[in-house]
Amino acid sequence: MFCLALGESMKPLPSTSVLVACMRLLAPLLVLGGACTSANVSGVSNAGCGGNDGGGNAGGTGGAANTGTSLVSVIPDAGPVDACVPLKASATCAPSGGPYCGVIGDGCNGEIDCGNNCPTGWTCDPTQHTCVGGADCNPTYQCTYAVGSTSGSYCGKITDGCGHALACGDNCANVNPGWVCENSLCVGNADVCAPATCDPVAGARYCGKVGDGCGRGIDCGDNCASLNAGWVCNTAANSCVGGPGCSKLVCDGTPNVRYCGKVGDGCGGTVDCGDSCSTFQAGWVCDQSKGLCTGGPACVRTACTTSGGGQYCGDIGDGCGGTLHCGDCPGSGTCAANVCPVQSCGAMCAAQVKCATGSTSITGIVYDPAGKVPLYNVIVYVPDAPLANISTGASCDTCSASVSGKPITTALTDSSGNFKLDNVPVSVDFPLVMQVGKWRRQVTIKASEVSQCASKAIADPSSGQARRLRLPRNQSEGNIPKMAITAGDADRLQCLFTRMGIDTAEFTNPDGTGSINIYEDNYSVSAPAAYDSGFNGGASWPSANVLWSAINTMMKYDVILMACGGSNERYEGDKTALLPDANGYFPSDGSGNILTDAMKLNMVQYVNSGGRTFAEHYHWGWLRSYPPRKDITKYPPGSASNPASIAPDGHAPFGEVATWDTGGSSSLGSSITALVDTSFPKGQAFGQWLVSVGASTTPGSIMLGSDVKSTALTTLPGISQQWIYQTTPSSYVHYFTFNAPVGQPTTAQCGRFVFTGLHVATAVVSNPDSKGTFPSNCVMTRDLSGPEKALEFMMFDLSSCLMPDSGIPTPPPVGGGSAPPTPPEAGGAPPPPPPPPPPPPPPPPARQF
């Protein structure tokens, strides 16, 4: 009643002011005890009990805010009035995110009149009592932010900097997997993001507040002087920098090193070295990840071991702008100036004798495992140390690193299989190693078989497996490459290997210990795809699909050989796809395509990584485009008659390597006199070898059997090399090879592919192999036919260390232990540039009234 009378007797007040005045008059009557309880008044906020003042500002101590919509706050129900500290008008009326206007509460049941002091162009919202920007106001905040190279996202409800609320929600996990919302910022915790530190790398330090790369900021303070004397914090870049005496990095580091791009200058700053790598060294490019100019594929890189047998240690330059980590010296050797001490001469080296004239030499012929066919390009050497184990699987093997054991003398067999090895040990028994690729056998030469300062032929049994100078038949005799054979319906390559002398015990399924694993590829069309019942338990061969579908499985093999499956559709990219059954086998009717794009890409990766592949006839599916590229002389590429291009999904996986018969494949006759390409060194040796081993009676030609197919028309210059071909009555290439990756410089190539249209194991007039279980289906006693001998040559050439076909094979250098030259200086990566700026502080939360 008093309040009512007051209202009637005094000048009218706004209804809210009347309420406040009455509440103040009633305050003493409401003080009943020390506990503070919230007044149950609709439309006001309980700032006196720890709530907000109506403008989003915290009141005194007490309970949580019950945000309302009034302009002032009510007094507390109980408690000493003087315990409340009213908010100051200057700070309260101008919070971040936009000022208030009009009358608001002060948090202690009083009022603050913020007036109408909105910034120029802003207006007062009478319902919310906040200043809001007009159409020309550019919001300070958006739901995403970017400061320099730092970017991120806000989350929850924030103000936009123009007085409006901005709802950013919680999209953090979509921006960065595993990130969460924290204090209105999207951040990554330690389980999903590795935060940056104040010391990013040795010799560099951040200072001040920088971003941690996980949405938060870190305060690195100023500890620059402890990094380097005289260094201070560059607050503009948040990086420790050196003083005037600091020596800054120059883009041309050393004669072998040039930096590129934006890199640290070594004094805490940044230097832009641009990209002049190609002018620094021809063919060099900028490695942006390292800030270094590096040599391209043609650049010849330094090795940790040298041709003279010396060895580097520690970190040295690789001669192509990078760093080579050579580790410690072997044994007890101590690394000095990145060079290991020269090892002392071993027992074999000590037994060498210097002759006044001539040399202490031995001669001989190296044969295949059967001891029947002499072999070309076999390395013969005497080691002075134990031989290193040969690992299996695709690898990039160079001829300079193909042998081990510190050879003291080396030689190669010629086109007749003959070798002469000079400067062999005298008066001691010594080891003799025969090696081609990963085929390797070591035998012992007795001291009595050598005549000092004279040449003497090694006595060997006249024929067969009793010969010492032959490659191994099994793993107990030496090393045999790990090989996979996919057995097709139209040829029996597995039988050819038995006639080459390989012990049948070396043929097992992949889970066995044999060096040769057989897989089934359409073989089951006309015969069981399995071993004999008394051999390997009569086990069935796994499907070739198991091999081709798994790159990790393919990479376990040194060589993959694929016999023709006997069905054109199975390997062409433009036919209906077939799916294997639950055991990985394809339908036995032979129709439909079994090669997928994924399988072809696996094959490309395998060969590019150093794998060796031999493919027959319809396995042209690994190489051809569909439709296949036509004769480039008659049909120029890109013309309407030859529109095929290099592309995925049906086109040449390796890139075009040949032109092909586009009308399918057919037999070319019962007997064909083919030509041998002798225009390159290895081709010339091949032609001579064919005559030497009885595969041909006329140099430069060979008589092919009845199973010769029309496949490749021409090879492509600079990409592939023909070996056997014909020109009449039509032109075809029957053997060709290419090294991979295709189109790369020879120094960057690792793998090799051989293709033929012949079916060698069936191209004989009498005693062909039958279709049946292995090995009883094979004719193992007869000698190799002429075409089979040609294939044997290609098999061992395929296995040998990789070199350009145009090159001339040379024996590997001896490892006599001469000191290597001074290694190139290691450039190392440049210092890092200054850090990114920190994320901006989170905006104030959206204000509610």
Side-chain angles (χ1 to χ4, degrees):
M1 293 296 295
F2 172 80
C3 288
L4 181 60
L6 178 64
E8 292 174 348
S9 63
M10 298 182 66
K11 182 178 179 178
L13 297 171
S15 57
T16 306
S17 298
V18 172
L19 174 61
V20 172
C22 291
M23 295 295 284
R24 287 173 176 165
L25 291 172
L26 293 172
L29 301 176
L30 297 176
V31 180
L32 301 177
C36 176
T37 58
S38 301
N40 187 14
V41 181
S42 176
V44 297
S45 73
N46 305 323
C49 290
N52 288 348
D53 63 357
N57 297 302
T61 59
N66 178 20
T67 304
T69 58
S70 79
L71 304 183
V72 297
S73 300
V74 300
I75 60 174
D77 294 325
V81 175
D82 59 359
C84 187
V85 178
L87 298 172
K88 296 182 179 180
S90 59
T92 304
C93 291
S96 61
Y100 295 111
C101 55
V103 179
I104 64 173
D106 68 351
C108 290
N109 308 313
E111 298 177 357
I112 298 175
D113 188 350
C114 293
N116 188 12
N117 295 320
C118 295
T120 303
W122 290 43
T123 59
C124 183
D125 183 340
T127 61
Q128 300 296 323
H129 294 271
T130 59
C131 293
V132 295
D136 59 344
C137 180
N138 293 320
T140 306
Y141 300 103
Q142 297 178 346
C143 289
T144 59
Y145 63 82
V147 180
S149 60
T150 298
S151 61
S153 299
Y154 296 120
C155 51
K157 292 183 178 180
I158 62 173
T159 55
D160 67 351
C162 287
H164 304 286
L166 186 62
C168 293
D170 186 355
N171 195 37
C172 299
N174 293 332
V175 176
N176 287 299
W179 284 39
V180 297
C181 185
E182 179 183 285
N183 296 328
S184 299
L185 276 171
C186 289
V187 298
N189 292 321
D191 56 337
V192 294
C193 182
T197 66
C198 295
D199 294 282
V201 296
R205 178 169 294 166
Y206 302 146
C207 57
K209 294 181 179 180
V210 300
D212 70 346
C214 297
R216 303 180 181 87
I218 52 176
D219 190 347
C220 293
D222 184 356
N223 196 28
C224 298
S226 63
L227 175 67
N228 284 301
W231 282 41
V232 296
C233 182
N234 180 350
T235 56
N238 294 106
S239 181
C240 295
V241 298
C246 184
S247 178
K248 294 185 178 180
L249 174 143
V250 293
C251 295
D252 289 294
T254 70
N256 296 306
V257 177
R258 194 186 198 291
Y259 302 119
C260 57
K262 293 183 178 180
V263 298
D265 65 359
C267 292
T270 300
V271 58
D272 189 349
C273 291
D275 184 358
S276 59
C277 298
S278 60
T279 58
F280 175 65
Q281 296 279 358
W284 284 38
V285 296
C286 182
D287 185 339
Q288 296 284 355
S289 65
K290 298 178 180 177
L292 279 170
C293 291
T294 60
C299 185
V300 179
R301 287 168 168 77
T302 302
C304 289
T305 57
T306 66
S307 59
Q311 183 165 337
Y312 297 121
C313 50
D315 291 346
I316 65 172
D318 68 355
C320 293
T323 300
L324 190 63
H325 307 287
C326 293
D328 296 328
C329 294
S332 59
T334 301
C335 184
N338 295 110
V339 175
C340 293
V342 177
Q343 295 182 359
S344 60
C345 186
M348 297 300 103
C349 169
Q352 290 176 306
V353 174
K354 185 176 181 180
C355 300
T357 59
S359 170
T360 305
S361 305
I362 57 173
T363 62
I365 301 174
V366 178
Y367 291 86
D368 66 2
K372 294 181 177 181
V373 180
L375 296 180
Y376 165 72
N377 198 28
V378 177
I379 304 170
V380 183
Y381 64 99
V382 175
D384 199 27
L387 301 179
N389 291 330
I390 297 179
S391 61
T392 59
S395 57
C396 194
D397 299 322
T398 61
C399 289
S400 62
S402 59
V403 299
S404 62
K406 281 186 61 182
I408 60 171
T409 177
T410 63
L412 291 177
T413 59
D414 61 15
S415 57
S416 298
N418 291 286
F419 71 89
K420 180 184 180 184
L421 194 62
D422 293 324
N423 201 21
V424 297
V426 175
S427 302
V428 295
D429 297 347
F430 61 86
L432 182 75
V433 178
M434 298 158 288
Q435 182 174 345
V436 53
K438 295 185 179 181
W439 294 86
R440 187 179 70 187
R441 187 183 185 200
Q442 178 175 305
V443 297
T444 299
I445 303 298
K446 296 292 186 179
S448 59
E449 299 181 84
V450 175
S451 295
Q452 183 172 329
C453 295
S455 181
K456 187 174 182 179
I458 296 298
D460 219 11
S462 58
S463 64
Q465 297 170 8
R467 295 187 191 272
R468 283 185 297 166
L469 301 183
R470 61 171 175 81
L471 294 184
R473 296 186 62 247
N474 50 49
Q475 295 176 68
S476 65
E477 291 186 343
N479 198 88
I480 299 177
K482 185 72 173 178
M483 292 177 279
I485 296 177
T486 64
D489 184 59
D491 206 356
R492 263 73 65 196
L493 286 178
Q494 62 272 27
C495 293
L496 175 63
F497 274 86
T498 65
R499 286 190 290 278
M500 288 168 53
I502 305 302
D503 192 333
T504 55
E506 291 296 324
F507 294 82
T508 65
N509 273 349
D511 57 356
T513 60
S515 57
I516 301 177
N517 301 150
I518 304 179
Y519 292 82
E520 187 272 334
D521 172 23
N522 208 37
Y523 190 89
S524 60
V525 171
S526 55
Y531 297 101
D532 295 341
S533 59
F535 185 73
N536 290 335
S540 296
W541 306 329
S543 169
N545 178 57
V546 175
L547 172 67
W548 299 330
S549 298
I551 183 60
N552 290 338
T553 301
M554 296 177 70
M555 292 294 288
K556 294 178 181 178
Y557 292 100
D558 300 305
V559 183
I560 294 176
L561 306 108
M562 299 179 290
C564 178
S567 176
N568 189 25
E569 293 85 354
R570 293 175 67 83
Y571 311 101
E572 295 193 351
D574 55 353
K575 305 298 181 181
T576 302
L578 285 178
L579 297 177
D581 60 21
N583 296 318
Y585 293 93
F586 293 101
S588 60
D589 60 4
S591 65
N593 180 42
I594 64 174
L595 296 189
T596 65
D597 286 340
M599 291 178 184
K600 293 177 182 179
L601 291 175
N602 284 344
M603 182 64 73
V604 172
Q605 181 179 344
Y606 168 74
V607 178
N608 285 355
S609 300
R612 312 299 172 89
T613 297
F614 173 87
E616 278 186 347
H617 196 189
Y618 288 137
H619 278 288
W620 62 10
W622 298 100
L623 303 178
R624 296 203 320 175
S625 57
Y626 291 93
R629 182 175 176 174
K630 300 181 179 180
D631 188 318
I632 59 176
T633 302
K634 297 178 181 178
Y635 309 100
S639 64
S641 58
N642 187 16
S645 61
I646 299 173
D649 302 326
H651 291 83
F654 288 91
E656 300 290 355
V657 295
T659 61
W660 303 91
D661 189 332
T662 59
S665 181
S666 58
S667 175
L668 294 177
S670 59
S671 122
I672 296 172
T673 300
L675 302 176
V676 177
D677 190 337
T678 59
S679 64
F680 61 106
K682 272 191 167 183
Q684 186 175 12
F686 178 47
Q688 295 169 349
W689 180 86
L690 290 172
V691 175
S692 174
V693 300
S696 170
T697 57
T698 305
S701 69
I702 181 173
M703 181 67 68
L704 301 181
S706 61
D707 218 353
V708 183
K709 306 296 184 180
S710 60
T711 52
L713 301 177
T714 63
T715 52
L716 301 182
I719 298 295
S720 50
Q721 175 64 57
Q722 68 177 11
W723 291 71
I724 299 178
Y725 67 104
Q726 71 177 67
T727 57
T728 58
S730 299
S731 295
Y732 289 100
V733 176
H734 301 307
Y735 268 107
F736 75 82
T737 60
F738 64 87
N739 293 345
V742 172
Q744 293 295 313
T746 56
T747 54
Q749 292 179 323
C750 287
R752 189 165 175 83
F753 202 111
V754 177
F755 177 81
T756 183
L758 278 68
H759 297 71
V760 292
T762 58
V764 292
V765 177
S766 61
N767 292 329
D769 300 314
S770 63
K771 297 177 181 178
T773 57
F774 179 84
S776 62
N777 67 305
C778 299
V779 180
M780 292 182 277
T781 56
R782 67 172 173 84
D783 292 336
L784 297 179
S785 66
E788 287 178 323
K789 289 178 180 177
L791 176 55
E792 184 177 43
F793 180 98
M794 303 302 293
M795 291 291 186
F796 286 109
D797 181 72
L798 181 67
S799 300
S800 65
C801 61
L802 197 69
M803 65 173 294
D805 288 322
S806 59
I808 299 175
T810 57
V814 298
S818 59
T822 302
E825 182 178 353
R847 295 172 297 172
Q848 298 177 349
F849 304 98

